[in-house]
C-alpha cells in the first residue's frame, strides 16, 4: 500500500519508503507473539490485508491495515496440523489462501477458520507440493516432487508428469514456477533441467544443457 515495500527478515517485518529512502518497523511495539520473526513469505490481498508466513512453527499472521490489527491464524490453535510443513502460500482471485505442504495441497476457507485438503488430483494428491503460481485468468499452477498440476476455476484439473519422449515435462521434481502473462508461457525449474510450457500449444520445450554443463 502507498507504494511502500514490505520486507520479511529473520527479525520480523521492515517497511521501506522509496520516496524518503527510510525504513520503519511497524510491529516492534505492539506485537505480543513470541514467534513473529523469520518471515519468509509476504502476500498482499485486495482488501488491504497482508499475510505473513514465518518459518517458525508454520505460523501465519494477518495484518489488517484498515483496523491496524495483527493476529495469528494458528499460533494458539491446531487449525494446521504440525505435520503439515508449509512450503508456499498463495492467495487466489477469490481470496482463498492456498497452502503447498509436504502432504498435499490445502486451502483456508474465506474467514480463515479451517483448512480443507484439495483432493481432486489423482497422481499428485498426497505429493510434497513445493510452489504455487498464478497463471492465465486466475488459473493455479502447482509444482510438486511428483509432477506439475493445473487448477482451472478451482475444479478442472490437469496433471503433467515426465513421459518417455522429449515432448513431456523434463522432470517430475519441480523446484520453482514463473508465469509469463505476455507470452502465455510457464517456466518450470526442475531437478532435471528447465521446461517451458506454451499454454496456447499445450506443449513443453525442454532445456537440459547450459554453457557450463
Amino acid at each position: 500500500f502507498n507504494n511502500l515495500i514490505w520486507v520479511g527478515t529473520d527479525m520480523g517485518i521492515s517497511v521501506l519508503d522509496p520516496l524518503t529512502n527510510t525504513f520503519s518497523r511497524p510491529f516492534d511495539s505492539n506485537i505480543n507473539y513470541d514467534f513473529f520473526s523469520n518471515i519468509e513469505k509476504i502476500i498482499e490481498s485486495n482488501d488491504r490485508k497482508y499475510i505473513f508466513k514465518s518459518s517458525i512453527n508454520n505460523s501465519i499472521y494477518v495484518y489488517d491495515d484498515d483496523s491496524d490489527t495483527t493476529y495469528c491464524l494458528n499460533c494458539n490453535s491446531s487449525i494446521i496440523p504440525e505435520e503439515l510443513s508449509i512450503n508456499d502460500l498463495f492467495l487466489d482471485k477469490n481470496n482463498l489462501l492456498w497452502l503447498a505442504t509436504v502432504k498435499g495441497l490445502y486451502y483456508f476457507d474465506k474467514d480463515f477458520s479451517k483448512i480443507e485438503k484439495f483432493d481432486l488430483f489423482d497422481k499428485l494428491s498426497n505429493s510434497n507440493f513445493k510452489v504455487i503460481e498464478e497463471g492465465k485468468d486466475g488459473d493455479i499452477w502447482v509444482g510438486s516432487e511428483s509432477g506439475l498440476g493445473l487448477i482451472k476455476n478451482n475444479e478442472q484439473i490437469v496433471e503433467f508428469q515426465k513421459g518417455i519422449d522429449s515432448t513431456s515435462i523434463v522432470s517430475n521434481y519441480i523446484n520453482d514456477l514463473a508465469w509469463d502473462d505476455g507470452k502465455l508461457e510457464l517456466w518450470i525449474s526442475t531437478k532435471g533441467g528447465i521446461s517451458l510450457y506454451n499454454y496456447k500449444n499445450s506443449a513443453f520445450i525442454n532445456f537440459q544443457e547450459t554453457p557450463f554443463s
Side-chain angles (χ1 to χ4, degrees):
F1 307 126
N2 301 320
N3 295 318
L4 300 177
I5 300 173
W6 293 66
V7 184
T9 77
D10 62 336
M11 298 298 292
I13 297 291
S14 293
V15 179
L16 172 64
D17 186 337
L19 296 179
T20 61
N21 198 30
T22 57
F23 281 95
S24 61
R25 299 194 55 183
F27 302 123
D28 282 6
S29 61
N30 58 7
I31 281 293
N32 296 318
Y33 303 112
D34 294 334
F35 298 117
F36 195 70
S37 59
N38 291 82
I39 303 300
E40 59 183 10
K41 183 78 173 183
I42 302 175
I43 297 175
E44 181 181 355
S45 74
N46 55 16
D47 57 352
R48 298 183 61 82
K49 290 185 176 67
Y50 276 99
I51 300 170
F52 310 121
K53 160 72 168 60
S54 170
S55 62
I56 301 177
N57 294 346
N58 279 328
S59 300
I60 301 176
Y61 302 87
V62 178
Y63 170 66
D64 188 324
D65 187 62
D66 288 333
S67 61
D68 192 26
T69 57
T70 306
Y71 57 94
C72 181
L73 294 181
N74 59 323
C75 290
N76 299 310
S77 72
S78 58
I79 187 171
I80 301 177
E82 291 184 4
E83 65 270 17
L84 289 185
S85 180
I86 301 170
N87 295 316
D88 198 13
L89 298 179
F90 172 74
L91 192 69
D92 71 12
K93 63 182 181 180
N94 298 313
N95 270 348
L96 288 180
L97 181 62
W98 294 78
L99 314 177
T101 83
V102 298
K103 293 190 175 182
L105 189 66
Y106 289 77
Y107 60 92
F108 274 94
D109 58 5
K110 289 187 178 181
D111 61 0
F112 299 126
S113 62
K114 63 179 180 179
I115 64 171
E116 300 283 348
K117 185 173 184 180
F118 185 80
D119 57 4
L120 295 184
F121 284 122
D122 179 18
K123 297 177 183 179
L124 304 182
S125 182
N126 295 312
S127 299
N128 180 1
F129 283 88
K130 311 288 285 186
V131 60
I132 308 174
E133 175 75 321
E134 184 173 14
K136 183 178 183 294
D137 299 328
D139 290 350
I140 299 174
W141 291 93
V142 290
S144 76
E145 292 184 356
S146 304
L148 176 70
L150 171 61
I151 305 170
K152 300 173 66 68
N153 300 319
N154 290 349
E155 58 183 21
Q156 297 176 327
I157 303 302
V158 183
E159 295 177 274
F160 303 90
Q161 290 186 307
K162 179 177 173 58
I164 60 174
D165 56 54
S166 61
T167 61
S168 65
I169 191 169
V170 70
S171 170
N172 287 333
Y173 194 112
I174 295 169
N175 296 310
D176 204 2
L177 301 171
W179 173 255
D180 186 332
D181 202 44
K183 295 182 178 180
L184 297 181
E185 293 177 336
L186 181 72
W187 288 92
I188 309 154
S189 169
T190 82
K191 201 171 183 178
I194 301 291
S195 286
L196 177 62
Y197 180 77
N198 185 285
Y199 191 89
K200 292 181 179 179
N201 301 329
S202 300
F204 288 95
I205 300 174
N206 296 320
F207 307 88
Q208 292 180 275
E209 295 183 3
T210 72
F212 306 103
S213 64

